[in-house]
Amino acid sequence: MQMKNTRSLAILTSVALLISLALGTGIGAAQAVRNPDTLIIAHSGDVDSLDPAWQYDTLSSGITLWNVYETLIFFRGGSVGEYVPMLATQVPSLQNGLISRDARTFTFPINPQARFSDGTPVTAEDVRYSLLRMMLIDRSGGPSWILLQPITGEDSTRDERGNLKPDIYDKAARAIQVRGNSVVITLARPYAPFLNIMASWSQVISRRAAVARGDWNGERATLAQFNNPRRNSDTKLFEGAVASGPYVIERWDRAARTVILRRNDRYWRGRPAPIQRIVYRTVEEFGTRRLMLQQGDADLITVARPEQSQVEGLPGVRIVDDLSQFVTQALFMNLDVKGAGNPYLGSGRLDGNGIPPDFFNDVRVRRAIAQSIDYGATRRDCWRGKIAPGNGPVPRGMFGYNERGQWYAFDRERAIAAWREVAGGRVWETGFRFTVLYNTGNAARRCASEIFKRTLESLNPRFRVDVVSLAWSTYLAQESEGRLPIYFLGWAADYADPDNFVYPFMHSKGTFTGAQSYNNPEVDRLIEEAQRTADPARRRQIYFRLQEIAFNDVPTVYLGYPTGFIVMRSWVRGWYHNPMFFGLGYLHALRKTE
Amino acid sequence: MTQFIVRRLMLLPVVALGTTLLIFALTQLLSPAMRASLFVQDPNQMRDLEAIIQKYGLDQPFHVQYWEWLKNLARGDLGYSFVARQTVAEAIRSYFPMTLELSLLSFAVILVVGVWLGTLSAVHKDRFVDHLSRFVSIVGTGLPTFVWGLLLLLVFYGLRPWFPPGRLSLQAYLFVTSDGFHAYTGLMTVDALLNGQLWIFWDALRHLVLPVLTLSYFIAAVLVRVTRSSMLETLRQDYVRTARAKGVAEPVVIRRHARRNALIPVITLGSLIMVGLLTGSVITETIYDLPGIGRWGAQAANQLDIPGAAGFALFAALLTVLGNLAADVLYAFVDPRIRY
């Protein structure tokens, strides 16, 4: 055994030596552009589906959105609140009369020049079909609700028993109408973020081509057989649809885990894209991806924050850091932990060896927790400092974020004082033991859990915290079942509106809050009022008020809003960032030159 | 002999069923919500978990779910692997050729090097060749595959870009996926030759060099040691001494008398090696970004893709039984004294 250890050690040392040698030599310092008319992207994930109504993961949407499937309007440059026309000729506004006075009706005049890649014109009828399809395919766990909710006021196309609601088609069809060459959408009630949703989720495909592939024909009678498809491969547009973007899907090779986009040479907006092909390849192993980047066989690779140092200083490689994105990282507390004999609660009683299931129901406990987190160390050590301090669900840079919003700070003495106050000093006297959880493989959250444990245990020797990680799927399931007492999670925007954050984080029916058993009627009322309000000043006021409640009630501790970064060969030009881009965003203008 | 083979083949479905039953039983340790959450990728999708459970029938009791699977199996439907984004049958069809190609090449290398070096080592016991081969094989058995694989990649791709990862270069890949190329077998090197595209053949071969080296080194190392000890054992036997005493030339003694008998344990090991290669070289496939069956199987197990994992297990069980059968038949061929 001893011998074996020595041998492995010797081997590892020589490997480390060779690796440092390889990194030091910097081969490829003056490489010529490799594959000048092809952009190769090596990523770590798996493409789920190329059907616009199915895809809801960043990777799949990132491949097709805007590059293949264009939307009615688009974001202006890096802005998330200003729009430019894409398939529509104008961005609707109150001034140009394309938004009605009651803020419920939106008119989108369709550009008569717009053409699908097969040469056929993009008609208002195609737009209507695409929007209906997006809403009514409605697979469980899919993105349809994003359109369904504002347009029909319904959450789902199915009732609680899973049956298709009989009036859902009519509701949707009535709400979206074709008038001349325009599409007129009437919302169930005013919904402020609607234009923002349209900039990402109004993907238009050719109805004719879709029906020719055997997809839904847009009629009421045939909807049932297309609603809630069981498998991603069951939809006829699994491998993509005909659309109007600068690229078309050439092939999705599922065995080789490669998606290839080919330039649309007949792109309707005139100039075809400079790059002829875009290749998306899944390369799981980071070391392999890194070498491919170094050799110029990949132009862009995905890198996780903890791996960043390994691509820094590579010759011919450019890293764009501190990219704003709309992501909120938080520590959640569960006010009513479920599951008999739940192991994460220790003994299940306040006897120094556990906590009762309603431990976090006491707001003083939650405040004491919020005061016992070493925010500085967590942000510095776990996110390499690349995370803006948090003070509520709405991320920094988004409308509704309160620059001056108050939040807790770490101070040993005040934290101890806060704990002494809980339950008349009983918690301080007896101490507790519980488990804090994170998802396996998430290095930042593991680090945050460990700092949390260390800080809390340093306050009082009778405080004990166990750190446990669970596989992602198990983690999400146990979270939604309300079994986790205190845990780390994050949320990324579906659309750039604070409602997409306050609802899941604070509304009693929200994705997180439901599982946390947090319920504050005032919060629900405010969130619903903000949804109905078109006046930005009033909305801002509401979101600021919600931030205050988040601070006072503190069911969730907001750690912060991490920034992103991107790693590419320096010969990739023309890339720009918008926080609402999925994946790499809009690739039309990209080119490769020295 | 035929009877023996038939009897063994009849055992096959039993082994296969047992394997899948075990896998299905294990999955029942997870709650329906846990299995349902496998179909979502981030918290945004969690709002519909109940609907997902219903849709996939995850709340059904074990026997109902297993029976459904069996009924489908009887129709030749192995289910849908969400990891592969295709049916299990399609997944096996699309991933297996890559692994088969890699395995056949590696197996050839392993066998030739293993038996040759093992024999050489035994014949020249305690001499330089023996010490060298023992050193090389000890390093091979002690070296973790991922270290060896990454090291090779680092040197022969990172330092000198001779052998890139992946199955083909971009140009070759685009050609192979165009209409001008017909995939007859799924084995890239073979298909390239059948299509008369020599450059594709070289390209595919170039991409196989490192994976084959990675796989064969440490397996060949084991085989060297087994062959060596088996040869040493045989060389001590009386009949070898008799043969030598009769004046039979040494190379003939070694090839015809000793090695043939020493091959029995090698055959046992060989069949295990071949089955092991065929059912997956997860690490090698991952490091070199090869779309093989091992990576799929591991991913299916890892992500609790139950139809995928069950289908993979079924396939692996099948190969194992066939591999053992092949070994038994070979025994009889090598050693005529063995009768079934």
Side-chain angles (χ1 to χ4, degrees):
Chain A
M1 197 62 208
Q2 187 60 46
M3 223 203 71
K4 204 174 164 157
N5 278 341
T6 324
R7 198 172 62 217
S8 324
L9 203 71
I11 292 164
L12 278 174
T13 319
S14 42
V15 169
L17 254 167
L18 263 162
I19 288 174
S20 52
L21 205 78
L23 298 185
T25 49
I27 294 266
Q31 268 176 337
V33 179
R34 297 284 293 274
N35 309 304
D37 57 358
T38 308
L39 185 81
I40 301 166
I41 297 161
H43 53 82
S44 55
D46 268 316
V47 179
D48 191 29
S49 167
L50 298 177
D51 184 330
W54 179 288
Q55 47 180 226
Y56 195 17
D57 60 302
T58 329
L59 180 61
S60 309
S61 305
I63 292 174
T64 57
L65 242 179
W66 309 298
N67 301 317
V68 179
Y69 309 140
E70 291 185 311
T71 46
L72 296 174
I73 55 173
F74 190 46
F75 300 104
R76 181 190 295 279
S79 159
V80 293
E82 289 175 72
Y83 311 98
V84 291
M86 201 161 202
L87 283 170
T89 53
Q90 276 175 286
V91 177
S93 69
L94 285 166
Q95 289 76 21
N96 64 17
L98 295 178
I99 300 181
S100 66
R101 288 280 143 224
D102 64 357
R104 278 185 57 203
T105 307
F106 291 71
T107 304
F108 293 92
I110 305 305
N111 194 327
Q113 310 296 325
R115 292 282 180 280
F116 290 118
S117 60
D118 61 4
T120 58
V122 177
T123 65
E125 207 41 71
D126 286 306
V127 176
R128 180 172 184 267
Y129 167 78
S130 304
L131 294 176
L132 285 179
R133 189 178 179 280
M134 242 335 257
M135 289 158 68
L136 300 175
I137 293 282
D138 190 27
R139 62 129 170 157
S140 320
S144 291
W145 69 273
I146 299 173
L147 288 184
L148 209 54
Q149 217 168 36
I151 295 178
T152 65
E154 305 267 357
D155 241 353
S156 164
T157 55
R158 294 175 296 277
D159 59 22
E160 259 124 61
R161 307 207 351 254
N163 300 320
L164 191 63
K165 291 175 183 165
D167 59 340
I168 193 74
Y169 177 86
D170 296 330
K171 260 191 177 173
R174 257 200 316 274
I176 304 175
Q177 306 232 335
V178 171
R179 290 202 197 125
N181 203 27
S182 292
V183 175
V184 181
I185 304 173
T186 309
L187 307 186
R189 48 178 193 187
Y191 191 68
F194 188 63
L195 278 184
N196 202 288
I197 292 177
M198 294 311 273
S200 300
W201 298 96
S202 63
Q203 307 165 70
V204 177
I205 58 171
S206 156
R207 173 181 169 166
R208 202 185 49 81
V211 174
R213 283 195 200 173
D215 199 66
W216 184 46
N217 58 8
E219 305 289 333
R220 183 183 205 269
T222 49
L223 176 62
Q225 68 186 94
F226 291 94
N227 177 259
N228 196 15
R230 196 178 149 85
R231 305 164 169 176
N232 44 6
S233 62
D234 284 353
T235 75
K236 303 291 177 203
L237 306 183
F238 177 49
E239 293 181 329
V242 172
S244 58
Y247 286 93
V248 298
I249 297 164
E250 180 170 357
R251 75 185 341 249
W252 174 16
D253 185 338
R254 272 168 284 151
R257 301 208 287 180
T258 302
V259 174
I260 299 183
L261 303 185
R262 193 187 61 234
R263 176 169 64 204
N264 173 5
D265 287 321
R266 292 193 285 191
Y267 187 44
W268 67 279
R269 290 214 275 196
R271 202 170 48 87
I275 286 183
Q276 200 191 347
R277 272 201 177 84
I278 302 178
V279 178
Y280 292 85
R281 241 176 94 182
T282 305
V283 180
E284 259 166 281
E285 173 63 36
F286 168 70
T288 314
R289 281 204 304 279
R290 187 195 159 286
L291 286 175
M292 287 173 69
L293 178 79
Q294 182 191 318
Q295 294 300 354
D297 286 333
D299 298 300
L300 271 140
I301 63 167
T302 55
V303 179
R305 194 56 98 179
E307 298 157 347
Q308 189 180 349
S309 59
Q310 295 181 54
V311 287
E312 278 166 353
L314 276 183
V317 169
R318 183 158 72 104
I319 301 176
V320 189
D321 205 344
D322 302 309
L323 301 175
S324 62
Q325 51 182 17
F326 295 137
V327 174
T328 300
Q329 291 288 350
L331 172 67
F332 294 82
M333 286 172 268
N334 188 342
L335 279 52
D336 176 22
V337 184
K338 310 290 188 313
N342 189 319
Y344 309 130
L345 299 177
S347 66
R349 289 190 308 275
L350 196 65
D351 55 2
N353 278 316
I355 50 165
D358 61 351
F359 184 66
F360 296 110
N361 198 20
D362 183 346
V363 70
R364 282 168 308 179
V365 169
R366 302 201 297 268
R367 286 185 190 146
I369 290 277
Q371 245 156 25
S372 310
I373 290 172
D374 191 341
Y375 297 95
T378 306
R379 287 197 288 265
R380 188 185 59 238
D381 297 350
C382 309
W383 274 275
R384 292 170 55 106
K386 303 288 185 186
I387 180 169
N391 65 16
V394 182
R396 193 167 83 164
M398 183 179 269
F399 167 78
Y401 167 74
N402 187 355
E403 197 79 47
R404 286 198 194 86
Q406 197 186 353
W407 199 254
Y408 303 85
F410 178 61
D411 178 326
R412 270 189 76 79
E413 298 315 311
R414 287 178 62 184
I416 291 172
W419 280 111
R420 280 180 188 279
E421 264 176 44
V422 175
R426 217 156 67 77
V427 169
W428 182 260
E429 290 307 318
T430 49
F432 54 70
R433 179 175 195 156
F434 59 71
T435 303
V436 63
L437 294 107
Y438 69 94
N439 53 304
T440 310
N442 191 312
R445 291 184 191 148
R446 187 192 64 215
C447 161
S449 307
E450 274 156 12
I451 292 181
F452 175 71
K453 171 192 166 76
R454 217 167 48 227
T455 316
L456 207 55
E457 288 182 346
S458 76
L459 298 176
N460 182 342
R462 286 185 285 267
F463 287 1
R464 275 183 296 162
V465 178
D466 300 312
V467 177
V468 164
S469 75
L470 296 175
W472 183 233
S473 51
T474 315
Y475 191 64
L476 282 185
Q478 297 216 358
E479 189 272 336
S480 76
E481 288 172 339
R483 291 175 58 86
L484 311 182
I486 179 162
Y487 50 98
F488 289 91
L489 255 179
W491 179 269
D494 292 308
Y495 46 90
D497 192 89
D499 185 55
N500 191 231
F501 284 83
V502 293
Y503 199 93
F505 277 99
M506 292 184 79
H507 194 281
S508 61
K509 292 207 183 99
T511 309
F512 296 131
T513 346
Q516 280 172 285
S517 296
Y518 173 74
N519 185 345
N520 181 337
E522 193 202 347
V523 167
D524 288 8
R525 194 181 52 72
L526 284 169
I527 291 176
E528 285 158 28
E529 190 195 328
Q531 287 180 344
R532 284 192 305 270
T533 310
D535 173 23
R538 172 66 191 141
R539 290 187 78 214
R540 185 188 306 267
Q541 203 181 5
I542 294 175
Y543 291 125
F544 279 25
R545 172 74 193 123
L546 286 168
Q547 192 277 330
E548 279 170 25
I549 299 176
F551 172 74
N552 286 324
D553 280 4
V554 61
T556 302
V557 177
Y558 296 97
L559 296 170
Y561 320 113
T563 58
F565 69 108
I566 184 166
V567 181
M568 61 179 118
R569 295 295 310 205
S570 345
W571 58 50
V572 177
R573 304 290 166 89
W575 181 84
Y576 75 98
H577 175 65
N578 181 302
M580 280 317 292
F581 281 173
F582 299 85
L584 296 168
Y586 191 47
L587 307 176
H588 180 200
L590 282 198
R591 57 189 198 285
K592 284 166 77 172
T593 43
E594 229 17 281
Chain B
M1 189 70 177
T2 321
Q3 210 183 7
F4 166 78
I5 295 177
V6 170
R7 219 170 38 232
R8 288 284 294 270
L9 283 177
M10 274 163 60
L11 256 177
L12 228 163
V14 182
V15 175
L17 267 185
T19 319
T20 58
L21 188 68
L22 205 68
I23 288 187
F24 260 86
L26 282 174
T27 60
Q28 295 305 305
L29 298 172
L30 305 168
S31 73
M34 250 184 251
R35 280 177 283 141
S37 65
L38 301 164
F39 293 92
V40 307
Q41 284 137 334
D42 64 65
N44 305 39
Q45 291 166 270
M46 294 301 283
R47 40 195 270 122
D48 249 356
L49 212 56
E50 270 311 308
I52 294 173
I53 293 175
Q54 273 188 12
K55 179 156 101 176
Y56 295 98
L58 300 172
D59 47 357
Q60 303 286 319
F62 166 63
H63 64 271
V64 175
Q65 292 186 50
Y66 188 60
W67 182 238
E68 281 302 311
W69 188 81
L70 278 186
K71 273 198 303 198
N72 288 333
L73 185 64
R75 285 197 300 266
D77 175 6
L78 286 159
Y80 183 76
S81 161
F82 69 81
V83 160
R85 272 91 184 160
Q86 52 195 340
T87 65
V88 171
E90 281 167 350
I92 293 176
R93 257 201 308 278
S94 63
Y95 292 122
F96 188 58
M98 167 77 246
T99 307
L100 182 65
E101 189 169 23
L102 181 61
S103 304
L104 287 176
L105 270 174
S106 307
F107 193 64
V109 173
I110 290 166
L111 217 55
V112 169
V113 173
V115 172
W116 170 73
L117 213 58
T119 312
L120 206 64
S121 199
V123 173
H124 302 279
K125 185 169 176 290
D126 291 331
R127 300 233 293 276
F128 175 74
V129 178
D130 185 30
H131 290 312
L132 186 73
S133 102
R134 276 164 73 193
F135 173 77
V136 171
S137 65
I138 283 173
V139 172
T141 41
L143 197 64
T145 325
F146 74 94
V147 175
W148 177 229
L150 278 175
L151 189 67
L152 285 178
L153 191 68
L154 199 64
V155 174
F156 296 106
Y157 178 57
L159 284 178
R160 291 280 171 269
W162 295 330
F163 303 113
R167 198 175 188 190
L168 287 172
S169 65
L170 181 69
Q171 283 70 23
Y173 176 75
L174 290 176
F175 184 83
V176 162
T177 51
S178 69
D179 293 335
F181 189 90
H182 185 70
Y184 297 95
T185 62
L187 281 77
M188 204 52 81
T189 44
V190 178
D191 284 350
L193 291 178
L194 290 177
N195 279 274
Q197 298 293 337
L198 214 58
W199 69 286
I200 302 272
F201 173 78
W202 288 118
D203 191 79
L205 210 58
R206 195 160 75 105
H207 285 79
L208 280 168
V209 170
L210 293 188
V212 165
L213 274 182
T214 305
L215 270 179
S216 18
Y217 181 31
F218 98 113
I219 303 178
V222 179
L223 199 62
V224 167
R225 303 187 69 179
V226 170
T227 310
R228 178 181 179 274
S229 59
S230 173
M231 264 307 272
L232 284 176
E233 177 79 27
T234 323
L235 286 174
R236 278 198 292 271
Q237 300 291 323
D238 289 343
Y239 67 85
V240 173
R241 204 174 321 136
T242 314
R244 281 189 178 135
K246 281 199 308 192
V248 179
E250 186 64 14
V252 179
V253 170
I254 293 192
R255 270 207 308 276
R256 200 156 315 145
H257 292 79
R259 188 151 76 186
R260 195 162 173 143
N261 285 297
L263 278 181
I264 298 272
V266 174
I267 288 170
T268 316
L269 191 64
S271 77
L272 285 178
I273 289 173
M274 192 60 193
V275 170
L277 286 172
L278 285 176
T279 51
S281 9
V282 185
I283 295 167
T284 309
E285 287 171 7
T286 307
I287 292 173
Y288 295 105
D289 188 37
L290 297 172
I293 201 165
R295 198 170 64 173
W296 168 65
Q299 249 194 338
N302 203 8
Q303 296 186 28
L304 296 171
D305 172 3
I306 294 159
F312 176 76
L314 190 70
F315 185 67
L318 211 93
L319 286 179
T320 312
V321 173
L322 291 178
N324 285 339
L325 184 62
D328 288 340
V329 173
L330 271 177
Y331 288 154
F333 177 73
V334 173
D335 186 350
R337 287 171 304 178
I338 296 175
R339 285 280 170 271
Y340 294 105

